[in-house]
Amino acid sequence: ALAEPSTTTRARQPRGTRRRSAVVSRRRRPRRRVRPLSSRRSSSLADSRSARAPLSSPRRFCSSRSSRAMGAKKAEPELGSFDCVYSESGSTPKVGKLHVFKTSLVFKAEMFGMDKTSVSIKRKDLDALDATSALTLKIQYKKTKTLDLQFTKSRKPYELIVAKYKLSSTEREGFSVNDRVKRNGDDGTERTYAPGVGGLMRRGKDFVTDYYENGNEKLKRLLKDASRLGGAKIPPTPRLPTVDCEEVVSRCLFVRVIGARDLLAMDSGGTSDPFVVLRYRGLEVSSRTIPLTLNPHWDETFTFNAPPGKEELDDSDEVELMVYDRDFGGLNDFIGYCAINMAGVKVSDGDAPQATAVTKTTTDKGSTKASTTDKASAKAFTKKSTKASTKAALREPLVAANRTSPSAGAGSARRRREWIKLVPMPKDHGDAKSFDLNHVKERLMFWEGERLISGAIEVETWVGNRHDEAFRVAGVPALIKPDADAEKSLAHYVDPVTALLRVEIKKGRNIMNLDDDGGSDPYCEVALVDPKGVKPESSQATHYIDDATDPEWDRAFNFIVSKPYGDDLELRVYDYDGATSFDDLIGKAVLKVSELKVHKGLKNAPEERWITLVDKEGKDANEKGEKYGDILVRAYLDEEYFEHLHGGDANGRVGRLSVDVLGADGLEHPTTTHVVVKCGPYWTRTPNVEHSSKPRWNQRLRYPVFEPAERVTVALFEGAALNAKYLGRVKLQLSTMEDGVRYCSKFQLMTQDSNSGAVKKTCTLEVGLQFDYENGGAKAAAKYFDPLLPEKWYLQPLADDERERVIKSQKEMLVKRLAQASPPINEVCSKILLEFSKHEVNIGSIKSSVARIQRVAAGFDKIGAAIAYALSWDSVILTAMTQCWIVYLVYYPNMLMPTVLLATALWSLAQFPGRYQRVLDRAQADEWLSQGLPFAPPTEEEERVKREREEKEKAEEAAAVKAREEEEKELLKLSKEEREAKETQKKLLLEKKRAAEKAAAEKAKAEAPKETFSWESLNPLAALQKQMDEVFAMITLSQSILDEVAGGLERVAGVLSWEEPRVTAGFLLVILAAAWALVYVEVVTRFFVKIVLGVVVKTVFTIVSPSTLKFGASAGILFAMRHPAILPDEKTKVLQEAKARAAREAALAAELANEEGDDEEAENAAVAPPAGPPPPPPRR
């Protein structure tokens, strides 16, 4: 297709056609496919064609074309390009290049046409470069945005950009900022314009362009300045190193222990009961025990959090495995030791949740094949290849890459599966790192010499994400010894993915009879059991049914579980034998929680199924062959019930929150301090600053936001991780913050003394908060139309006590999980940040809720005081205007509602200028609420006014008491008979009430299901404890109700005070629209009533006089009531004709009847015999 036409072909064409074809050929030649440079140079045809064509060289053509595709200027030179990977939390990484131009940085994805992602950053928008990591370059631009790029070495692009853009270095190595004046051109040089009309036009064009680009920012700045008119001074925004919490906390190191072979026989029978212990950075986790084998197969997966701040693991990140023989009741026997070298593994492989991704694997022949990694493998092309080889690769069948080829090293993005030989414990292994009693036993048994270790273990390792499917069943390690070095760096945590485990026990069939009568008294116990025995058992039971072999319980139970799902669900059926003996176990069934179905939606719940009961040995019948029976059960997991507590879904993100932890000041003495930040499901712990009264962190943390109603909490603690002491906190609801506005201040921290309960000030904490919306706030606005909780909380609600128990269990689970992290967050700190006191009996919580309600009520008092001030003549102008308004409403009462609505809108708009300061005030510590104070502790003047008010209230109370005493004296003056009658009536009413209550209690007791007895019921202390638990539950429920009431009142009061700007803006629009509608209706009504009808009536009376109208009305009435014979209409004529016809027909019928009567008489007279003498009269 690229060959030129031959001379023979040209001779056959006409002359004009031949010339045009040559021109067309030369014009279209640059658009043809450009082959590699080496092939062009080696091809004589290409050389001759390029020599004939009046074009620039192919290399120059490709460069200009690629420059235009990158979005740069046409003649702008490229300073350099670097291969990299663009990774964003929650999305698949993009492989491409970073192109450095004179005025811009451009990232262009090169995924062979499968991805067209492109990010361009102008030089003037560049804020800072962060290359503190050896593999990651973070480019901060436009003050709030960050571009994270992964390189093999980030130093080279960093040095090039710093040198060419003349960035300023900071004290932190690898971190530079752009502090050049932005009044210059894009390249940093001062703009110059040529004299004359052309220069003037260029100056005007640049002015219009700059104004257009910065118009939106100027509008935002104007609104920000308007909201800051309350006197708040905004400090400048510092340039700080930024850490993305979601990206770091989601990275996980997975270790899958598959099995072992040829282990040592440690028991007398020539076998062992092996299990594996894994250790990594002070964390430890154990596998299950496989009995009586030397070739065990575990196939268990365990997960460890990847170390923060590392882009590539090194020699210190080895995973240790110790194999032991389980000796029940004694010390375990040591079988062998091995270590997995993780050096070279890239932590960035777990940045995004792994769906099925395409990677390339180089075979021995050098060809490229496409392979499919599973969800835990890393993903992305890391080398360039030609389009032809890629198309050939995509034609190959996709295969599962569960195993790594022998050429794959530790740094491979795929899984690494290998056999590791077991060896003795290294002699240089420090006791602080590896000490345990099992190893001491091994040393004591073989003190004469080292024992020969044999066998090997098969493991598989990879770096993944906490949203991977493998995380669902992975084992979570526990802390065995705090790592002192871990407290010297940033640590990130995340709430576990929790789910509601619902178990419905329907009925049983053919339950074995263990009694002498007609059947057992069965009941079913549902227990959530940790197979490793680390966590305590949680159980609930149904009621028992007398003498039943086919009982019907129909009970439902709810448990809360978290990923990874490693617990077992045990269903135990007992025969109830009363309170004087132990209940007999009939049978049980064990279900793996990880194997249960996950129910989604509101319909089509998993089907019920019959489960066979077995004994402890796993048999379904006893020695006589009698079956234990079956039970009908429905058990499933519901992860949607707590989906509002989870994070990581990039599609559900409404924005990003930046938290600047700067420093503290005002500590009483130099001490060790650290800060803990909580935002939604994410936690961050800053490094310890030791022996300082003014600690500084200067760290920026970034969190994804999925719900604007969430709160961010920044708490300061004193001391190390295990014995941290609470110094105070700053908390703020995210919805109160405006888009892109940075709220920064030195907040006063307070704490409450645990002994005296007094609130004291500790120090100040400097914190900056900024909430940046996505898509201009469209997603955040859409959240206001969604319920705060998932729809299942409303359509399938739990009982109040059940909901409280489930929420408390979720927080308790989180507290235990954080206490086992590295470094740990102790129980006191986590409970404070989780506000755990709401779920416990806490008088301070009740006082706080009451104080919040009083604070809202004080706002209504201010409104009343404002109305009284408007009518008090303290301000003559205001009172005169108010009276004019009242007089206007007297004459036009229909304008009452429009004016009230308009006044409400104006009052709310007047609150807008001081909104920025009110947001800062709202973030201040409010520990004084726990003492029942609705506002901060008063000053001396406020104390004096308060005392005067209290004295006045006491006087009024004394007067009221005196009035009641006088009433009692008057009652005593009544006659004795009247008092006795009243007392008798009261006694009768009280007896009737008690009888009704007793009857209702007996009826409820008779209808209530029979619950199982326990030995605790015979213990009076246990019964008392049960009553105390019920009282505590009632008080806790009251606390929750008070807290919800206070929160609801605060939200209602905050609608007009710009507490949530989007809600207030929408409410004002509704108010103004309603006022306009009422005014419009009033105006339209007046127009039709007074103008249209008035004009019509006046016109009619002008044309016709009133006398004429009266005469016409009278004539019309008489004409309507006239006789039917006078001027009959068509209808009347028809009726008259019908009546006349009917009359004629009636007369004719009568004449015919008379004629027929005369003829009958004549006939009778002719036929009758002659008449005889009359008969004689009768005798008396």
Side-chain angles (χ1 to χ4, degrees):
L2 298 177
E4 295 290 340
S6 62
T7 55
T8 307
T9 307
R10 289 185 178 182
R12 296 177 181 177
Q13 296 176 349
R15 181 175 301 175
T17 306
R18 189 164 59 246
R19 182 176 301 172
R20 284 195 302 270
S21 64
V23 174
V24 171
S25 176
R26 286 194 296 270
R27 289 178 179 175
R28 294 182 178 178
R29 189 174 295 113
R31 298 182 181 270
R32 297 184 184 273
R33 181 177 177 182
V34 180
R35 295 187 296 172
L37 184 60
S38 59
S39 61
R40 292 202 304 268
R41 290 179 177 177
S42 60
S43 175
S44 60
L45 179 60
D47 292 340
S48 62
R49 188 183 63 177
S50 61
R52 291 193 301 268
L55 297 172
S56 59
S57 64
R59 181 186 295 271
R60 176 66 179 272
F61 168 72
C62 292
S63 176
S64 62
R65 183 179 179 184
S66 60
S67 299
R68 288 195 300 271
M70 298 303 173
K73 296 181 180 180
K74 181 177 180 181
E76 185 179 14
E78 181 178 325
L79 304 179
S81 61
F82 304 90
D83 294 329
C84 60
V85 177
Y86 169 45
S87 59
E88 185 179 9
S89 178
S91 61
T92 305
K94 287 89 175 174
V95 179
K97 277 190 174 184
L98 175 65
H99 300 265
V100 183
F101 297 99
K102 188 177 180 180
T103 62
S104 62
L105 300 175
V106 179
F107 169 80
K108 179 70 175 180
E110 296 184 356
M111 302 286 287
F112 312 108
M114 293 183 291
D115 195 333
K116 298 182 180 180
T117 302
S118 179
V119 181
S120 179
I121 303 174
K122 293 183 179 180
R123 180 175 178 177
K124 65 178 182 179
D125 296 333
L126 180 63
D127 294 330
L129 284 182
D130 185 1
T132 54
S133 173
L135 301 178
T136 303
L137 178 63
K138 296 184 178 181
I139 305 174
Q140 301 178 16
Y141 62 102
K142 290 187 177 180
K143 297 182 180 181
T144 60
K145 298 182 179 180
T146 303
L147 179 66
D148 295 343
L149 300 177
Q150 309 288 334
F151 297 86
T152 55
K153 289 184 179 181
S154 61
R155 202 66 185 180
K156 291 184 178 180
Y158 171 78
E159 293 176 351
L160 176 65
I161 298 174
V162 169
K164 298 298 183 182
Y165 286 8
K166 298 180 181 180
L167 304 182
S168 300
S169 59
T170 59
E171 298 178 356
R172 188 174 181 180
E173 185 179 359
F175 188 78
S176 299
V177 296
N178 183 14
D179 55 358
R180 296 178 60 84
V181 182
K182 295 299 186 298
R183 62 180 178 83
N184 300 331
D186 294 341
D187 56 352
T189 60
E190 186 177 358
R191 291 176 178 173
T192 58
Y193 302 98
V197 180
L200 183 63
M201 293 181 64
R202 178 68 181 275
R203 184 187 297 272
K205 180 180 178 181
D206 291 343
F207 174 78
V208 173
T209 303
D210 294 341
Y211 187 83
Y212 175 77
E213 291 179 353
N214 301 327
N216 191 22
E217 296 181 1
K218 290 181 179 179
L219 179 60
K220 287 185 178 181
R221 192 179 302 112
L222 178 63
L223 293 176
K224 294 174 186 177
D225 295 339
S227 65
R228 297 170 184 169
L229 294 178
K233 183 178 180 181
I234 310 302
T237 303
R239 294 185 176 94
L240 302 173
T242 305
V243 176
D244 193 327
C245 183
E246 164 65 22
E247 176 183 327
V248 176
V249 80
S250 296
R251 297 172 177 175
C252 297
L253 173 62
F254 289 92
V255 180
R256 178 187 173 203
V257 180
I258 302 173
R261 63 188 179 191
D262 302 333
L263 299 179
L264 288 177
M266 306 302 295
D267 296 338
S268 58
T271 59
S272 295
D273 304 324
F275 69 97
V276 182
V277 176
L278 291 85
R279 290 178 182 172
Y280 179 72
R281 289 185 170 270
L283 301 175
E284 181 180 283
V285 64
S286 302
S287 70
R288 70 180 190 275
T289 302
I290 307 297
L292 305 177
T293 181
L294 298 180
N295 300 295
H297 183 75
W298 292 286
D299 196 12
E300 292 187 53
T301 303
F302 307 95
T303 178
F304 301 90
N305 289 335
K310 282 189 176 183
E311 298 297 333
E312 184 175 335
L313 303 181
D314 51 26
D315 294 334
S316 63
D317 294 301
E318 64 179 10
V319 181
E320 298 178 319
L321 284 79
M322 280 77 75
V323 184
Y324 294 98
D325 168 53
R326 177 80 67 183
D327 286 343
F328 298 95
L331 296 178
N332 303 317
D333 297 324
F334 178 77
I335 294 179
Y337 167 89
C338 68
I340 306 175
N341 184 16
M342 303 300 297
V345 175
K346 294 183 178 180
V347 180
S348 59
D349 291 342
D351 282 345
Q354 295 300 304
T356 303
V358 179
T359 60
K360 68 175 186 176
T361 305
T362 304
T363 61
D364 297 338
K365 296 181 181 180
S367 61
T368 303
K369 293 184 179 181
S371 61
T372 303
T373 64
D374 65 0
K375 294 182 180 180
S377 304
K379 60 285 169 193
F381 297 99
T382 55
K383 297 181 181 180
K384 292 186 65 177
S385 64
T386 61
K387 292 185 179 180
S389 61
T390 305
K391 292 181 178 179
L394 295 176
R395 288 194 294 266
E396 295 290 336
L398 300 179
V399 295
N402 291 331
R403 297 176 177 82
T404 304
S405 60
S407 62
S412 174
R414 296 160 51 201
R415 297 188 178 191
R416 184 178 65 178
R417 184 169 179 174
E418 57 187 337
W419 282 92
I420 304 177
K421 186 178 180 180
L422 297 178
V423 297
M425 185 73 68
K427 295 181 179 180
D428 58 349
H429 212 274
D431 291 339
K433 191 176 181 181
S434 65
F435 175 78
D436 61 57
L437 294 177
N438 305 307
H439 189 51
V440 172
K441 176 183 177 181
E442 188 262 341
R443 291 180 178 178
L444 293 176
M445 292 176 61
F446 301 93
W447 62 273
E448 295 180 352
E450 292 292 338
R451 178 180 50 171
L452 296 178
I453 301 296
S454 65
I457 187 170
E458 186 181 12
V459 295
E460 186 178 16
T461 57
W462 70 94
V463 176
N465 192 280
R466 71 183 181 97
H467 301 289
D468 295 350
E469 187 66 22
F471 192 84
R472 174 183 170 89
V473 295
V476 177
L479 182 68
I480 58 173
K481 186 175 183 180
D483 187 4
D485 296 336
E487 299 186 23
K488 298 179 181 179
S489 59
L490 273 176
H492 304 275
Y493 317 86
V494 67
D495 293 356
V497 178
T498 54
L500 183 70
L501 172 60
R502 186 170 180 84
V503 184
E504 300 177 7
I505 307 297
K506 297 297 184 180
K507 58 184 178 179
R509 67 182 180 187
N510 301 328
I511 302 298
M512 179 182 291
N513 183 12
L514 298 183
D515 297 337
D516 297 333
D517 50 8
S520 299
D521 304 328
Y523 69 91
C524 183
E525 182 183 26
V526 183
L528 196 63
V529 181
D530 183 6
K532 298 177 182 178
V534 178
K535 296 186 296 183
E537 177 182 309
S538 176
S539 62
Q540 303 179 56
T542 67
H543 58 282
Y544 74 91
I545 299 178
D546 293 327
D547 302 334
T549 57
D550 298 327
E552 294 186 3
W553 295 291
D554 197 14
R555 294 285 297 273
F557 305 98
N558 297 306
F559 299 89
I560 186 169
V561 294
S562 64
K563 284 185 178 181
Y565 304 131
D567 297 333
D568 292 341
L569 181 64
E570 289 193 6
L571 310 175
R572 308 165 187 154
V573 178
Y574 290 92
D575 174 32
Y576 175 65
D577 292 334
T580 59
S581 62
F582 292 100
D583 298 338
D584 299 325
L585 177 64
I586 299 177
K588 69 175 184 178
V590 180
L591 303 176
K592 294 288 185 182
V593 176
S594 60
E595 298 176 357
L596 298 178
K597 292 184 178 180
V598 178
H599 174 50
K600 296 182 179 180
L602 299 173
K603 300 180 180 179
N604 302 325
E607 297 181 355
E608 305 167 352
R609 55 172 176 164
W610 288 97
I611 300 178
T612 302
L613 300 177
V614 297
D615 54 17
K616 295 181 179 180
E617 299 178 356
K619 299 179 181 179
D620 61 349
N622 58 11
E623 297 177 353
K624 300 179 181 180
E626 299 176 348
K627 301 288 186 180
Y628 296 116
D630 306 320
I631 55 176
L632 184 61
V633 178
R634 175 188 287 143
Y636 58 89
L637 293 170
D638 193 340
E639 296 179 352
E640 295 177 344
Y641 217 87
F642 297 101
E643 63 181 0
H644 62 290
L645 303 176
H646 310 154
D649 183 12
N651 296 327
R653 186 176 60 203
V654 299
R656 289 179 179 271
L657 175 69
S658 297
V659 181
D660 297 343
V661 182
L662 302 178
D665 193 6
L667 291 171
E668 295 180 356
H669 53 82
T671 183
T672 301
T673 54
H674 65 273
V675 174
V676 177
V677 182
K678 183 184 184 304
C679 178
Y682 303 100
W683 303 61
T684 300
R685 184 189 186 277
T686 62
N688 288 349
V689 177
E690 300 180 354
H691 308 295
S692 176
S693 59
K694 296 182 179 181
R696 303 293 296 180
W697 290 277
N698 293 331
Q699 182 67 55
R700 178 168 295 162
L701 308 171
R702 182 166 294 167
Y703 303 92
V705 177
F706 304 94
E707 177 56 55
E710 294 176 352
R711 288 184 178 182
V712 55
T713 305
V714 184
L716 180 65
F717 296 93
E718 177 185 1
L722 294 179
N723 55 356
K725 179 183 177 183
Y726 175 67
L727 295 180
R729 64 181 173 183
V730 176
K731 60 180 180 180
L732 182 64
Q733 188 171 338
L734 301 182
S735 58
T736 62
M737 304 171 65
E738 296 180 19
D739 182 15
V741 179
R742 185 173 183 268
Y743 298 87
C744 182
S745 179
K746 290 185 177 180
F747 299 94
Q748 179 66 53
L749 300 186
M750 302 179 185
T751 184
Q752 187 176 9
D753 189 88
S754 58
N755 297 325
S756 62
V759 176
K760 64 177 183 179
K761 298 179 180 180
T762 55
C763 62
T764 59
L765 180 64
E766 187 176 2
V767 177
L769 304 172
Q770 182 170 335
F771 188 18
D772 300 306
Y773 296 160
E774 288 192 356
N775 297 336
K779 290 185 177 180
K783 282 290 184 179
Y784 285 92
F785 297 94
D786 297 335
L788 187 61
L789 298 175
E791 59 180 1
K792 290 188 177 181
W793 285 76
Y794 307 100
L795 300 179
Q796 296 179 354
L798 300 176
D800 292 339
D801 55 346
E802 185 75 9
R803 182 176 65 252
E804 181 68 21
R805 184 186 65 82
V806 168
I807 296 176
K808 184 179 179 181
S809 299
Q810 192 271 341
K811 292 187 177 181
E812 289 176 345
M813 179 187 303
L814 181 57
V815 168
K816 295 178 181 178
R817 185 72 65 89
L818 292 173
Q820 296 295 329
S822 178
I825 298 180
N826 62 19
E827 182 177 343
V828 176
C829 300
S830 56
K831 284 189 174 182
I832 290 174
L833 295 181
L834 289 172
E835 298 181 350
F836 199 83
S837 59
K838 295 181 179 180
H839 308 284
E840 296 177 338
V841 176
N842 190 341
I843 302 301
S845 178
I846 297 177
K847 290 183 177 180
S848 177
S849 299
V850 174
R852 291 163 59 192
I853 296 175
Q854 293 176 351
R855 183 167 58 182
V856 174
F860 295 98
D861 295 340
K862 291 181 180 180
I863 296 176
I867 296 175
Y869 176 77
L871 300 174
S872 62
W873 290 101
D874 292 338
S875 175
V876 178
I877 298 176
L878 179 61
T879 305
M881 293 178 63
T882 305
Q883 292 184 357
C884 292
W885 177 61
I886 294 174
V887 172
Y888 174 77
L889 293 180
V890 171
Y891 282 91
Y892 303 99
N894 293 334
M895 299 300 293
L896 175 63
M897 285 304 300
T899 53
V900 169
L901 294 177
L902 184 59
T904 304
L906 293 176
W907 182 85
S908 180
L909 289 174
Q911 302 294 318
F912 180 77
R915 207 194 76 80
Y916 184 87
Q917 183 60 43
R918 287 198 302 274
V919 173
L920 294 179
D921 295 340
R922 186 175 177 81
Q924 294 285 353
D926 55 359
E927 270 71 14
W928 30 265
L929 287 174
S930 60
Q931 292 187 334
L933 301 177
F935 300 97
T939 60
E940 294 182 358
E941 180 65 19
E942 293 173 345
E943 285 285 352
R944 184 184 61 80
V945 175
K946 181 180 179 181
R947 285 195 300 268
E948 293 178 356
R949 187 172 63 252
E950 289 178 352
E951 292 176 357
K952 184 178 179 181
E953 291 177 355
K954 288 181 180 179
E956 293 177 355
E957 186 178 356
V961 171
K962 186 176 181 181
R964 286 197 299 268
E965 291 177 354
E966 293 177 355
E967 291 179 0
E968 291 178 357
K969 290 180 180 179
E970 293 179 359
L971 291 175
L972 292 175
K973 294 180 181 179
L974 296 175
S975 62
K976 183 178 180 181
E977 292 79 6
E978 292 178 353
R979 291 199 303 270
E980 291 179 354
K982 288 184 178 180
E983 291 177 357
T984 304
Q985 186 178 6
K986 289 182 179 179
K987 289 181 180 180
L988 291 175
L989 292 175
L990 183 61
E991 290 178 357
K992 289 182 179 180
K993 183 177 180 181
R994 289 177 178 175
E997 292 177 353
K998 185 177 180 181
E1002 291 178 354
K1003 182 178 179 181
K1005 184 178 180 181
E1007 296 178 353
K1010 300 177 181 179
E1011 301 291 339
T1012 58
F1013 266 112
S1014 62
W1015 288 101
E1016 296 178 353
S1017 62
L1018 300 178
N1019 186 357
L1021 295 179
L1024 180 61
Q1025 181 65 36
K1026 184 178 181 180
Q1027 294 178 1
M1028 292 296 295
D1029 293 341
E1030 293 177 355
V1031 173
F1032 288 163
M1034 182 179 63
I1035 297 176
T1036 305
L1037 183 60
S1038 302
Q1039 290 178 190
S1040 302
I1041 294 175
L1042 280 175
D1043 183 70
E1044 292 177 0
V1045 171
L1049 291 176
E1050 287 177 344
R1051 286 190 291 271
V1052 172
V1055 169
L1056 296 178
S1057 60
W1058 295 92
E1059 181 177 316
E1060 296 190 16
R1062 289 153 297 282
V1063 176
T1064 304
F1067 184 70
L1068 289 182
L1069 290 177
V1070 173
I1071 288 179
L1072 294 175
W1076 177 84
L1078 292 175
V1079 172
Y1080 178 78
V1081 170
E1082 177 68 16
V1083 171
V1084 171
T1085 303
R1086 288 189 177 188
F1087 176 78
F1088 279 101
V1089 172
K1090 294 186 177 182
I1091 298 179
V1092 177
L1093 295 182
V1095 170
V1096 171
V1097 172
K1098 186 176 181 180
T1099 303
V1100 171
F1101 279 100
T1102 302
I1103 298 174
V1104 183
S1105 64
S1107 301
T1108 306
L1109 291 176
K1110 294 178 182 179
F1111 175 77
S1114 302
I1117 293 172
L1118 293 176
F1119 180 78
M1121 300 175 63
R1122 69 186 183 281
H1123 191 273
I1126 301 174
L1127 300 176
D1129 53 5
E1130 295 295 332
K1131 187 176 181 180
T1132 305
K1133 289 181 180 180
V1134 173
L1135 292 176
Q1136 289 179 356
E1137 291 177 357
K1139 289 181 180 180
R1141 188 168 51 254
R1144 290 194 299 269
E1145 292 177 354
L1148 181 61
E1151 292 177 359
L1152 293 175
N1154 293 333
E1155 292 178 357
E1156 291 179 356
D1158 295 342
D1159 295 339
E1160 290 179 357
E1161 290 178 358
E1163 290 178 358
N1164 292 334
V1167 176
R1179 295 180 180 180
R1180 295 184 177 179

